[in-house]
Amino acid sequence: MNPDTRHAGPAAATTAGIVMMLLAMLIFAANDTLAKWLIGSFYVGQILVLRSVAGLVVLSPFLVRLGPAPLRRAPRPWLQLTRVALSTLEVALFFRALLDLPLADTIAIYMAAPIYVTAVSPFLLKERVGWRRWTAVGVGFCGVLLALGPGLAAPSVGMACAVVGSFAYALYLVTTRLLAGTHNTVLAFNQLTAALVFGLVLVAFQGWAHTDATDALLLASLGVGSLAGNLCVNRSLRLAPASVVVPYQYTLIAWGLILGAIVFGEVMDTRMLVGTAIIIGAGLFIFLREQQLRRRGVR
């Protein structure tokens, strides 16, 4: 993408921003599909280690350019530690959930995280949430319960991992918001390093499945894909207003449906489809309402 696209005019920049967000969701979906394909043959710890090493290698030029000072002086160290713990937990639980659940189902459960963020924001972010957003939170929870369906009576390990992981992801988003002043490279480095350490701990207990060069390359590509997707998201938000591009993040579920059907022969049942639609609707309402309040200068 031409770095000067934003100078071609607001309409062209907005279009480019939308394209970058759509590309990011495709990259994330492809990454998740690859993760589900690999999780049947390799341990979660093994995946975390190779994914993190690859991510750190790609990130290294940016770390060199940044220098060591911002890493040493990262603000609020205990909150930094909490954030990377939550990030590592939600990624590990996502991978574990993929072992038992269909791809699109796992993605849909995780996409409820913005609803949880709104629910906890009055307590953790000291933000006021009006009755409209509380209503959307309640509707969103109903969508989650509908999506989980019969699994609530006899939850599987995968479903439990998806639910706990999605809430951990929501808390990760909250802590990221609280650390908004920290350089993105510092956040990424801390995140990858924590995942690497946790992966090594898991490997000590789980072991290491045989990995040839092709396997190692595929596992490492998960880290590269994650960074590439986040880069596209950041670029999208620079090119176009968040209110325009963020709703396109829900195309991740559509990609999950398509790739899950093509690669794994998965079909989302009616109950899960309706629950997912409710989650998307509630999430979009909350986001658009927050954008409206922000324009009015109200929080």
Side-chain angles (χ1 to χ4, degrees):
M1 184 66 64
N2 187 338
D4 293 325
T5 304
R6 63 183 180 276
H7 299 305
T14 298
T15 301
I18 292 171
V19 170
M20 293 302 292
M21 184 61 75
L22 291 172
L23 178 60
M25 296 306 105
L26 175 57
I27 292 172
F28 286 142
N31 225 37
D32 293 343
T33 304
L34 178 59
K36 182 171 177 60
W37 186 56
L38 293 170
I39 196 67
S41 303
F42 303 99
Y43 297 112
V44 171
Q46 193 172 356
I47 294 175
L48 286 175
V49 167
L50 292 175
R51 174 183 180 271
S52 301
V53 169
L56 288 168
V57 169
V58 173
L59 194 66
S60 58
F62 301 96
L63 290 169
V64 172
R65 185 183 307 170
L66 184 66
L71 294 171
R72 291 197 304 263
R73 300 172 186 168
R76 307 175 76 176
W78 280 107
L79 191 58
Q80 298 277 355
L81 185 61
T82 301
R83 177 184 175 275
V84 297
L86 290 166
S87 170
T88 302
L89 178 63
E90 66 90 4
V91 170
L93 290 174
F94 182 83
F95 288 152
R96 179 58 185 84
L98 287 175
L99 189 61
D100 295 343
L101 300 182
L103 177 65
D105 291 22
T106 308
I107 291 174
I109 293 170
Y110 263 69
M111 291 300 281
I115 297 171
Y116 304 152
V117 170
T118 300
V120 302
S121 62
F123 312 103
L124 299 182
L125 297 174
K126 307 303 179 184
E127 294 179 352
R128 179 181 176 276
V129 176
W131 68 269
R132 294 178 181 83
R133 281 181 289 169
W134 275 122
T135 301
V137 167
V139 171
F141 275 124
C142 290
V144 172
L145 293 175
L146 182 61
L148 296 177
L152 290 173
S156 66
V157 173
M159 181 176 292
C161 287
V163 173
V164 175
S166 65
F167 192 71
Y169 179 55
L171 294 178
Y172 157 76
L173 294 176
V174 170
T175 55
T176 300
R177 189 182 299 183
L178 290 170
L179 293 169
T182 306
H183 197 285
N184 285 335
T185 302
V186 174
L187 293 175
F189 172 78
N190 291 341
Q191 203 168 327
L192 289 168
T193 302
L196 174 60
V197 172
F198 184 63
L200 290 171
V201 172
L202 287 181
V203 165
F205 290 95
Q206 296 176 331
W208 187 279
H210 173 72
T211 309
D212 59 25
T214 301
D215 295 332
L217 183 62
L218 289 173
L219 290 165
S221 69
L222 293 174
V224 177
S226 178
L227 284 176
N230 282 301
L231 181 64
C232 289
V233 170
N234 292 339
R235 181 65 177 156
S236 171
L237 292 170
R238 290 193 192 102
L239 288 166
S243 59
V244 173
V245 297
V246 167
Y248 286 94
Q249 290 184 352
Y250 287 99
T251 59
L252 180 61
I253 295 179
W255 282 119
L257 284 167
I258 294 168
L259 293 175
I262 293 173
V263 179
F264 306 109
E266 299 170 347
V267 178
M268 186 181 279
D269 61 28
T270 303
R271 168 191 51 77
M272 191 70 191
L273 280 171
V274 174
T276 299
I278 293 173
I279 291 170
I280 293 173
L284 284 173
F285 178 86
I286 289 169
F287 172 76
L288 294 174
R289 178 62 179 167
E290 287 175 348
Q291 293 295 304
Q292 183 183 55
L293 293 174
R294 189 171 286 113
R295 285 193 294 270
R296 294 179 184 173
V298 178
R299 288 303 298 165

